[in-house]
Amino acid sequence: MKSFVLPAPQAILLFNALCDLEFARDLRLQVPLLRDLTLVHCQAGAGGMHLENLVSPKTYENRHQQITRVLRESIREEIPDYRRFRDSFYQCGALLPQGCETLANLIQEAGRRPLTQGGDVYYLALDTNLLRDRFYSTYLRQLRQRPGIDFVLCDTVREELKNRRAKFSRKALQEFDVLNFPFFRGLFSNQNHLEDRLRYLGFLEYNRLREETGCVELDSPPPLPGMSADRLIRDAYSNFVEAGRKVVFLSRDQEIIRLMTGEDNVIPLALVQGEDLPDTLEMGWDQFLTWLYILGLHYGRITLAVGTLPVAVLDAVWSRKKVQEWEESRLRLELLLPVAGEQADPEAVFLARSIQRHVEVLPALEQITGNRWVL
């Protein structure tokens, strides 16, 4: 079947076809990296996706342990654990961390007293973990025009997001041969490790915040021998505050929150993820397609099935993915359905042709926009 490389939002074409054929009532997202574990069941509607039957922590961790126990401890982190799965719902904004109500009250307080009457400017500062969680895009973006609010960024945070390990080499990939995953090399060869892919998600968020706000960028003070990054960040923000200027420091790292506590005019606020996921979730289409891409960053490949029939694979990581394709959050879509031969299922053939017809819109979009989406 034909493959396409397209920005994540354009994957709506695939779901349009499924909805037209009324095949979108029993969709399942499966993860080849976890031996085709089903993460969630989905039902498509006009406004987005209804998610139910989310995989339980116990089922997930049992499968995770079956796979990782044959790997060396130092490389087990490349197989995302349940915490990573939970993170993805916060990274797309389907769930918000605890503490947002307190933050909203602080922002409301900042707008009550105009600057002309001696009010303070509250500068919002995001720690590395919240940039990786895309907390600006999912929550703060809608608040950026509020009176008395601005943003500040510390270059130590940016440097943390730019850190990279070496990419997967041929030798490194050999350690995963014991899993007998035929797709593994084709996805991850010469690509970044999981931790670096998530750092890059935060780096893009950092750049988005810079572009969309009038944020102040701070140089960190010169580090002393043995000084941690957390202390550099604390000192940068402590040196920035003054009369009429406060910093609201946001993080989900309790240790750095404790470190910030007691600093003059610095308000540390912990934003904490819940331990459990809800039984069901509703996502608009934009949010769902963002989530699908983020899942792809975690697992490399997601299989979309209608009932028990695999329909397509969606890759967010592949061995020759280019810089521009990373910057534009592109997916590689490949249809799996048989369209020829005596064994081809009539419904499968019908669905494949319908999807193909929708996907053929892409060359026209390529001509209009100049972006090459077709492999």
Side-chain angles (χ1 to χ4, degrees), residues 314-339:
L314 294 146
D315 300 335
V317 184
W318 61 92
S319 63
R320 296 184 180 180
K321 189 171 183 179
K322 301 172 185 176
V323 173
Q324 183 180 359
E325 291 167 340
W326 280 108
E327 292 175 345
E328 296 175 354
S329 302
R330 296 195 178 199
L331 288 166
R332 182 174 65 181
L333 164 65
E334 183 176 357
L335 304 177
L336 300 177
L337 296 169
V339 295

Short mmCIF file of all heavy atoms in Angstrom, two decimals, residues 314-339:
data_model
loop_
_atom_site.label_atom_id
_atom_site.label_comp_id
_atom_site.label_asym_id
_atom_site.label_seq_id
_atom_site.Cartn_x
_atom_site.Cartn_y
_atom_site.Cartn_z
N LEU A 314 0.62 4.40 11.90
CA LEU A 314 1.00 5.81 11.95
C LEU A 314 2.33 5.90 12.69
O LEU A 314 2.42 5.55 13.86
CB LEU A 314 -0.07 6.63 12.65
CG LEU A 314 -1.41 6.69 11.90
CD1 LEU A 314 -2.58 6.74 12.86
CD2 LEU A 314 -1.44 7.88 10.96
N ASP A 315 3.36 6.34 11.99
CA ASP A 315 4.69 6.46 12.56
C ASP A 315 5.01 7.93 12.82
O ASP A 315 4.82 8.78 11.94
CB ASP A 315 5.76 5.91 11.60
CG ASP A 315 5.55 4.44 11.27
OD1 ASP A 315 4.94 3.74 12.10
OD2 ASP A 315 6.01 4.00 10.20
N ALA A 316 5.50 8.24 14.02
CA ALA A 316 6.02 9.58 14.30
C ALA A 316 7.55 9.57 14.30
O ALA A 316 8.17 10.62 14.35
CB ALA A 316 5.50 10.09 15.64
N VAL A 317 8.14 8.38 14.27
CA VAL A 317 9.59 8.21 14.22
C VAL A 317 9.89 7.21 13.10
O VAL A 317 9.24 6.18 13.01
CB VAL A 317 10.14 7.64 15.56
CG1 VAL A 317 11.67 7.57 15.51
CG2 VAL A 317 9.67 8.47 16.74
N TRP A 318 10.83 7.56 12.25
CA TRP A 318 11.33 6.59 11.27
C TRP A 318 12.76 6.97 10.90
O TRP A 318 13.21 8.09 11.12
CB TRP A 318 10.43 6.49 10.03
CG TRP A 318 10.27 7.74 9.22
CD1 TRP A 318 11.02 8.15 8.15
CD2 TRP A 318 9.26 8.76 9.40
NE1 TRP A 318 10.55 9.34 7.64
CE2 TRP A 318 9.47 9.74 8.38
CE3 TRP A 318 8.20 8.93 10.29
CZ2 TRP A 318 8.67 10.87 8.26
CZ3 TRP A 318 7.42 10.06 10.16
CH2 TRP A 318 7.64 11.01 9.17
N SER A 319 13.48 6.04 10.34
CA SER A 319 14.94 6.15 10.27
C SER A 319 15.41 7.33 9.43
O SER A 319 16.48 7.87 9.68
CB SER A 319 15.56 4.86 9.74
OG SER A 319 15.13 4.60 8.42
N ARG A 320 14.65 7.73 8.44
CA ARG A 320 15.08 8.84 7.58
C ARG A 320 14.22 10.09 7.75
O ARG A 320 14.12 10.90 6.84
CB ARG A 320 15.08 8.39 6.11
CG ARG A 320 16.09 7.27 5.83
CD ARG A 320 16.14 6.91 4.37
NE ARG A 320 17.12 5.85 4.12
CZ ARG A 320 17.37 5.35 2.91
NH1 ARG A 320 16.71 5.81 1.86
NH2 ARG A 320 18.26 4.39 2.78
N LYS A 321 13.61 10.23 8.89
CA LYS A 321 12.81 11.42 9.14
C LYS A 321 13.72 12.64 9.18
O LYS A 321 14.71 12.68 9.90
CB LYS A 321 12.04 11.29 10.46
CG LYS A 321 11.02 12.40 10.68
CD LYS A 321 10.12 12.13 11.87
CE LYS A 321 9.06 13.22 12.02
NZ LYS A 321 8.14 12.99 13.14
N LYS A 322 13.36 13.66 8.40
CA LYS A 322 14.22 14.83 8.22
C LYS A 322 13.93 15.90 9.27
O LYS A 322 12.89 15.89 9.93
CB LYS A 322 14.01 15.39 6.81
CG LYS A 322 14.32 14.39 5.71
CD LYS A 322 13.91 14.93 4.36
CE LYS A 322 14.10 13.89 3.26
NZ LYS A 322 13.61 14.38 1.94
N VAL A 323 14.86 16.85 9.36
CA VAL A 323 14.73 17.93 10.35
C VAL A 323 13.42 18.68 10.17
O VAL A 323 12.68 18.94 11.14
CB VAL A 323 15.93 18.89 10.26
CG1 VAL A 323 15.70 20.10 11.16
CG2 VAL A 323 17.21 18.18 10.65
N GLN A 324 13.09 19.03 8.94
CA GLN A 324 11.85 19.77 8.69
C GLN A 324 10.63 18.96 9.09
O GLN A 324 9.65 19.50 9.62
CB GLN A 324 11.75 20.17 7.21
CG GLN A 324 10.51 21.02 6.90
CD GLN A 324 10.43 21.41 5.44
OE1 GLN A 324 11.30 21.06 4.64
NE2 GLN A 324 9.38 22.12 5.08
N GLU A 325 10.69 17.66 8.87
CA GLU A 325 9.57 16.80 9.23
C GLU A 325 9.41 16.72 10.75
O GLU A 325 8.29 16.61 11.26
CB GLU A 325 9.77 15.42 8.63
CG GLU A 325 9.64 15.42 7.11
CD GLU A 325 10.14 14.15 6.45
OE1 GLU A 325 10.92 13.41 7.09
OE2 GLU A 325 9.74 13.89 5.29
N TRP A 326 10.53 16.80 11.48
CA TRP A 326 10.45 16.87 12.94
C TRP A 326 9.85 18.21 13.37
O TRP A 326 8.99 18.27 14.24
CB TRP A 326 11.84 16.70 13.55
CG TRP A 326 12.29 15.28 13.65
CD1 TRP A 326 13.24 14.65 12.90
CD2 TRP A 326 11.79 14.29 14.56
NE1 TRP A 326 13.37 13.34 13.28
CE2 TRP A 326 12.50 13.09 14.30
CE3 TRP A 326 10.84 14.29 15.57
CZ2 TRP A 326 12.28 11.91 15.01
CZ3 TRP A 326 10.61 13.12 16.28
CH2 TRP A 326 11.32 11.95 16.00
N GLU A 327 10.33 19.28 12.77
CA GLU A 327 9.86 20.62 13.15
C GLU A 327 8.37 20.80 12.89
O GLU A 327 7.69 21.53 13.61
CB GLU A 327 10.65 21.69 12.40
CG GLU A 327 12.12 21.78 12.82
CD GLU A 327 12.92 22.75 11.98
OE1 GLU A 327 12.41 23.14 10.90
OE2 GLU A 327 14.04 23.12 12.39
N GLU A 328 7.87 20.14 11.86
CA GLU A 328 6.47 20.29 11.47
C GLU A 328 5.58 19.17 12.01
O GLU A 328 4.43 19.04 11.61
CB GLU A 328 6.37 20.36 9.95
CG GLU A 328 7.08 21.59 9.37
CD GLU A 328 7.08 21.61 7.85
OE1 GLU A 328 6.63 20.61 7.23
OE2 GLU A 328 7.52 22.62 7.30
N SER A 329 6.12 18.35 12.91
CA SER A 329 5.34 17.29 13.58
C SER A 329 4.61 16.41 12.56
O SER A 329 3.38 16.24 12.62
CB SER A 329 4.34 17.90 14.56
OG SER A 329 4.99 18.68 15.52
N ARG A 330 5.37 15.84 11.65
CA ARG A 330 4.76 15.03 10.60
C ARG A 330 4.69 13.55 10.98
O ARG A 330 5.56 13.03 11.68
CB ARG A 330 5.54 15.21 9.29
CG ARG A 330 5.47 16.63 8.77
CD ARG A 330 5.89 16.72 7.34
NE ARG A 330 5.76 18.09 6.86
CZ ARG A 330 5.71 18.44 5.58
NH1 ARG A 330 5.79 17.50 4.65
NH2 ARG A 330 5.59 19.69 5.23
N LEU A 331 3.66 12.93 10.48
CA LEU A 331 3.43 11.50 10.63
C LEU A 331 3.65 10.80 9.28
O LEU A 331 3.45 11.40 8.23
CB LEU A 331 1.99 11.22 11.07
CG LEU A 331 1.58 11.56 12.50
CD1 LEU A 331 0.06 11.55 12.61
CD2 LEU A 331 2.18 10.57 13.49
N ARG A 332 4.02 9.55 9.36
CA ARG A 332 4.02 8.71 8.16
C ARG A 332 2.86 7.74 8.27
O ARG A 332 2.77 6.97 9.23
CB ARG A 332 5.34 7.96 8.03
CG ARG A 332 5.43 7.11 6.76
CD ARG A 332 6.80 6.51 6.59
NE ARG A 332 7.11 5.54 7.65
CZ ARG A 332 8.26 4.89 7.74
NH1 ARG A 332 9.23 5.13 6.86
NH2 ARG A 332 8.47 4.02 8.71
N LEU A 333 1.96 7.80 7.31
CA LEU A 333 0.76 6.98 7.30
C LEU A 333 0.90 5.89 6.25
O LEU A 333 1.21 6.17 5.09
CB LEU A 333 -0.46 7.85 6.98
CG LEU A 333 -1.76 7.16 6.55
CD1 LEU A 333 -2.31 6.31 7.68
CD2 LEU A 333 -2.79 8.19 6.10
N GLU A 334 0.67 4.64 6.65
CA GLU A 334 0.69 3.53 5.70
C GLU A 334 -0.57 2.69 5.90
O GLU A 334 -0.87 2.25 7.01
CB GLU A 334 1.92 2.66 5.89
CG GLU A 334 2.00 1.53 4.87
CD GLU A 334 3.28 0.71 5.00
OE1 GLU A 334 4.13 1.06 5.84
OE2 GLU A 334 3.41 -0.28 4.26
N LEU A 335 -1.29 2.49 4.81
CA LEU A 335 -2.49 1.67 4.85
C LEU A 335 -2.10 0.20 4.78
O LEU A 335 -1.20 -0.19 4.04
CB LEU A 335 -3.41 2.03 3.69
CG LEU A 335 -3.82 3.51 3.60
CD1 LEU A 335 -4.67 3.75 2.37
CD2 LEU A 335 -4.55 3.94 4.84
N LEU A 336 -2.79 -0.63 5.55
CA LEU A 336 -2.42 -2.04 5.67
C LEU A 336 -3.38 -2.99 4.98
O LEU A 336 -3.09 -4.18 4.86
CB LEU A 336 -2.35 -2.43 7.16
CG LEU A 336 -1.36 -1.68 8.03
CD1 LEU A 336 -1.48 -2.15 9.47
CD2 LEU A 336 0.07 -1.86 7.53
N LEU A 337 -4.53 -2.50 4.55
CA LEU A 337 -5.59 -3.40 4.10
C LEU A 337 -5.27 -4.04 2.74
O LEU A 337 -4.75 -3.37 1.85
CB LEU A 337 -6.90 -2.63 4.00
CG LEU A 337 -7.41 -2.11 5.34
CD1 LEU A 337 -8.54 -1.14 5.12
CD2 LEU A 337 -7.85 -3.27 6.21
N PRO A 338 -5.61 -5.30 2.60
CA PRO A 338 -5.41 -5.96 1.30
C PRO A 338 -6.39 -5.45 0.27
O PRO A 338 -7.58 -5.29 0.54
CB PRO A 338 -5.66 -7.44 1.62
CG PRO A 338 -6.58 -7.42 2.80
CD PRO A 338 -6.19 -6.20 3.59
N VAL A 339 -5.91 -5.18 -0.93
CA VAL A 339 -6.78 -4.65 -1.98
C VAL A 339 -6.76 -5.54 -3.22
O VAL A 339 -7.36 -5.19 -4.24
CB VAL A 339 -6.36 -3.22 -2.37
CG1 VAL A 339 -6.57 -2.27 -1.22
CG2 VAL A 339 -4.91 -3.17 -2.84
#
